């Protein structure tokens, strides 16, 4: 296997990885999405990942959302497409 260290919000692995830069499966470590910088960072990550998925490919990730009742202040929840 090859490992790449870089910015998860803007990447292009190129044809030397996977099957001409495409993968049947992309996995993201537990909580990895929550470490991305804001809405734009998350959106950019998904765009890059989608560009690297082979036709019919899948991406597996977890997204941890804290329980609101544990916060002592008002929480603004953002959604994105």
């Amino acid at each position: 296997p090859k490992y790449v260290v870089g910015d998860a919000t803007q990447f292009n692995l190129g044809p030397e990885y996977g099957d001409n830069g495409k993968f049947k499966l992309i996995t993201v470590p537990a909580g990895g999405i929550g470490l991305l910088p804001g809405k734009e960072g998350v959106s950019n990550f998904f765009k890059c990942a989608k560009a690297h998925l082979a036709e019919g490919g899948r991406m597996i990730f977890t997204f941890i959302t804290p329980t609101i009742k544990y916060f002592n202040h008002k929480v603004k929840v953002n959604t994105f497409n």
Side-chain angles (χ1 to χ4, degrees):
K2 294 182 181 180
Y3 297 93
V4 177
V5 177
D7 185 346
T9 65
Q10 53 181 8
F11 62 91
N12 183 349
L13 297 178
E16 63 271 17
Y17 292 93
D19 182 10
N20 200 28
K22 302 287 183 175
F23 299 86
K24 292 179 183 177
L25 177 66
I26 295 175
T27 61
V28 181
I33 302 294
L35 299 174
L36 296 171
K39 179 179 176 179
E40 185 176 346
V42 172
S43 178
N44 288 342
F45 165 75
F46 279 112
K47 288 176 188 174
C48 291
K50 181 180 178 182
H52 285 81
L53 277 175
E55 186 174 332
R58 304 273 188 224
M59 182 168 58
I60 298 172
F61 64 94
T62 60
F63 191 84
I64 300 167
T65 305
T67 303
I68 299 298
K69 71 179 183 179
Y70 294 114
F71 290 93
N72 291 324
H73 58 279
K74 292 183 180 182
V75 177
K76 180 180 177 186
V77 177
N78 293 314
T79 60
F80 56 91
N81 295 332

